[in-house]
Amino acid sequence: MKVIHHGARTGVTGSCHELVDEQCRLLVDCGVFQGKEKSASPDIEFDIKGIQALLITHAHIDHIGRIPWLLAAGYNGPIYASEATAHLVPIMLDDGLKIQLGLNKEQRKRFLDIVNTRMRPIPYHCWVQLSQMVGPPVKFRFTPAGHILGSSIVEIETSQSKRVVFSGDLGSYGTSLLPDPSVVERADMLVLESTYGGKRHEGVDTRQQALKAIIERSFENGGAILIPAFSIGRTQELLFDIENIIAHSQPNGPWQEIPIILDSPLAAKVTEQYQQFKRFWSAEAKERLDAFRHPMAFESCVRIETHDHHEALVERLRISGEPAVVIASSGMCTGGRIVNYLKALLPNNNTDVILAGYQAEGTLGAQLLAGNSNVKVDNKMVDVKAQVHALSGYSAHADSQDLIRFVTEFESEPKVIRLVHGSPDAQKALAEKLRIIGANIDIQLGCES
Ligand SMILES: [Zn+2]
């Protein structure tokens, strides 16, 4: 039995792992390379003959974006995913096909119809058997990973009864919308993400108060509060916290008045899936539903659908300077509708920009974070008079302490841990920590495999 990595071996994107045992070959994830690794070819350069199934951990594009290339290479087997992931994959792929490949609506529909016929939604915790020509069956199941809606840890039991566990991307412990990552029984090999293997996230517990404080400070001078956010995960976490602030704010106070604008058709579609799959929310989130609250569709939350409405709203906020909270993608200000807001509103000194996520080097978000007094937006130089705030605590990823906790919560200690989905430095930092807590665990670095 061996695990081969066709991506996310030395970096955080392009996740695609292959489990090979004597009886079968399985793929876990098939994502595109992004950011610094973008130059890597999306072509499937390994032999796909004999691959029996593709298992998807979650619907982020760096875990699913190479599915079109996999199908083009001739893969005609099933695609297994948790129920919510099975709904999110076509939504996220549709966006990717439009933006990355420029396919028109008809072309995208034809392709997504094929994906949907291959998709096998599997309820969490249910073991699925893949029958073999010879020997006992291979089994697998998905359990919640707490990263984004539908995200899963995949446990596979090979025909020799070896347990191989893929963590997928893991969420932080103690966030309020989704439950913590599941406890795993055992693993002969654990393939573990290490995105933040060397880092701690500050302020997960206090992020809601920090968000409230920044927004309340900006109530004093009016103007728009712009929050660039990824369409899946962070947008829903922000809406969830904002609803909670409003629910606990004074009647007739500014929180009751201010419109919360979600200006991203993709984020709106994803938010609908979060609402449809409320049964996967945390106990705390479900309590809010029991109290007849609507954490993602509250009264003051306005969704902007058409591009005409979007343009009209940008212009209205620019001219009137009226207060509004706007959540729009992309999270690093590299595209999407947030760009038009920034172009129009950065020169106003009563605008506030809240950067709640990681801003990669070279992006507009990083330039704003660095405090540049003028920035290039859409090939146009724009003065930055707006206040820019960095807000930590909204990462959808486990930090080093969470990753260690995930491993120590195993009912019996994993025998081998293979670190993937992290820079070589992050893998090394996490390996050092894991060696302290598990002297008997064979810790392998994907970047050295
Ligand atoms: Zn992810």
Side-chain angles (χ1 to χ4, degrees):
M1 184 265 293
K2 62 178 176 179
V3 177
I4 305 165
H5 311 290
H6 302 298
R9 195 175 64 79
T10 57
V12 297
T13 70
S15 274
C16 185
H17 311 290
E18 182 182 344
L19 172 64
V20 186
D21 97 341
E22 282 163 26
Q23 311 295 340
C24 89
R25 290 171 66 204
L26 299 176
L27 275 189
V28 176
D29 289 339
C30 198
V32 283
F33 296 95
Q34 295 174 307
K36 276 190 255 170
E37 302 168 287
K38 208 173 181 175
S39 55
S41 166
D43 290 337
I44 302 297
E45 285 163 347
F46 51 93
D47 179 18
I48 60 157
K49 211 162 56 197
I51 289 178
Q52 211 177 343
L54 167 63
L55 317 181
I56 298 291
T57 62
H58 66 289
H60 270 146
I61 212 74
D62 62 320
H63 291 255
I64 62 167
R66 260 192 290 170
I67 291 177
W69 283 268
L70 184 70
L71 299 190
Y75 175 71
N76 59 8
I79 303 171
Y80 292 97
S82 74
E83 293 163 283
T85 299
H87 279 76
L88 287 168
V89 164
I91 295 171
M92 298 305 288
L93 276 182
D94 185 54
D95 191 67
L97 293 169
K98 186 164 62 180
I99 291 164
Q100 286 164 1
L101 294 180
L103 299 191
N104 66 33
K105 207 171 175 185
E106 183 56 34
Q107 291 167 319
R108 299 198 310 267
K109 187 184 174 305
R110 235 179 294 144
F111 173 77
L112 292 173
D113 284 348
I114 299 170
V115 171
N116 282 326
T117 59
R118 305 281 175 80
M119 191 65 81
R120 308 280 184 275
I122 306 295
Y124 277 139
H125 307 290
C126 289
W127 283 101
V128 175
Q129 287 198 355
L130 297 171
S131 51
Q132 305 302 312
M133 301 287 272
V134 274
V138 171
K139 299 191 298 183
F140 69 86
R141 68 172 170 183
F142 296 113
T143 59
H147 170 59
I148 56 169
L149 181 74
S151 63
S152 305
I153 297 158
V154 185
E155 295 169 74
I156 302 173
E157 193 160 307
T158 70
S159 47
Q160 285 90 36
S161 298
K162 296 274 186 215
R163 203 57 86 80
V164 184
V165 176
F166 291 84
S167 70
D169 289 0
L170 295 169
S172 301
Y173 286 80
T175 58
S176 41
L177 177 52
L178 295 175
D180 290 343
S182 304
V183 173
V184 181
E185 290 167 5
R186 63 186 173 90
D188 292 284
M189 181 188 265
L190 164 64
V191 179
L192 177 63
E193 70 123 320
S194 57
T195 318
Y196 290 104
K199 288 208 177 90
R200 292 291 324 278
H201 297 320
E202 300 301 329
V204 175
D205 306 339
T206 52
R207 66 187 195 181
Q208 186 187 298
Q209 289 89 318
L211 176 68
K212 180 170 181 272
I214 296 172
I215 296 179
E216 285 181 351
R217 248 179 283 145
S218 69
F219 283 161
E220 289 161 21
N221 62 354
I225 299 155
L226 307 178
I227 313 182
F230 296 112
S231 302
I232 182 164
R234 191 161 296 127
T235 290
Q236 293 75 30
E237 300 268 353
L238 284 162
L239 288 175
F240 188 73
D241 283 356
I242 289 171
E243 188 275 342
N244 199 39
I245 297 169
I246 295 170
H248 291 97
S249 67
Q250 293 202 336
N252 307 321
W255 277 104
Q256 305 293 331
E257 303 290 321
I258 193 161
I260 311 296
I261 295 159
L262 180 58
D263 192 353
S264 162
L266 177 61
K269 279 186 208 154
V270 171
T271 304
E272 276 164 25
Q273 295 302 318
Y274 269 76
Q275 289 172 272
Q276 190 183 326
F277 289 102
K278 291 183 186 104
R279 64 184 193 274
F280 301 135
W281 292 10
S282 68
E284 183 189 339
K286 285 176 187 162
E287 273 172 26
R288 296 188 195 172
L289 295 171
D290 293 342
F292 303 105
R293 284 167 51 186
H294 303 280
M296 284 191 207
F298 43 96
E299 214 174 308
S300 56
C301 182
V302 183
R303 294 181 188 181
I304 305 296
E305 293 296 336
T306 68
H307 208 266
D308 288 349
H309 285 158
H310 157 70
E311 285 182 332
L313 180 62
V314 172
E315 192 56 11
R316 175 171 151 183
L317 293 180
R318 188 182 70 79
I319 292 168
S320 70
E322 64 192 295
V325 174
V326 179
I327 302 173
S329 63
S330 72
M332 298 189 202
C333 314
T334 47
R337 291 186 176 179
I338 196 71
V339 171
N340 291 334
Y341 286 101
L342 292 169
K343 201 161 42 177
L345 299 171
L346 281 176
N348 293 0
N349 56 13
N350 62 356
T351 299
D352 289 84
V353 181
I354 301 179
L355 298 170
Y358 173 71
Q359 305 297 323
E361 215 179 302
T363 59
L364 175 54
Q367 291 169 46
L368 292 171
L369 199 58
N372 292 8
S373 57
N374 50 57
V375 291
K376 203 180 225 181
V377 188
D378 242 1
N379 287 323
K380 190 183 153 210
M381 289 312 289
V382 174
D383 287 338
V384 182
K385 301 254 171 63
Q387 310 290 313
V388 178
H389 314 264
L391 177 60
S392 64
Y394 276 94
S395 173
H397 270 280
D399 67 6
S400 59
Q401 194 166 304
D402 294 323
L403 293 166
I404 297 289
R405 177 170 167 184
F406 174 69
V407 172
T408 52
E409 283 191 352
F410 270 57
E411 288 175 15
S412 58
E413 194 173 76
K415 292 188 179 127
V416 177
I417 298 181
R418 171 85 54 86
L419 299 178
V420 295
H421 201 288
S423 67
D425 283 349
Q427 292 185 19
K428 282 176 199 150
L430 184 59
E432 255 172 54
K433 293 187 181 80
L434 288 169
R435 285 190 184 110
I436 295 167
I437 58 139
N440 298 320
I441 307 174
D442 174 10
I443 293 157
Q444 305 172 354
L445 273 58
C447 61
E448 291 173 358
S449 67

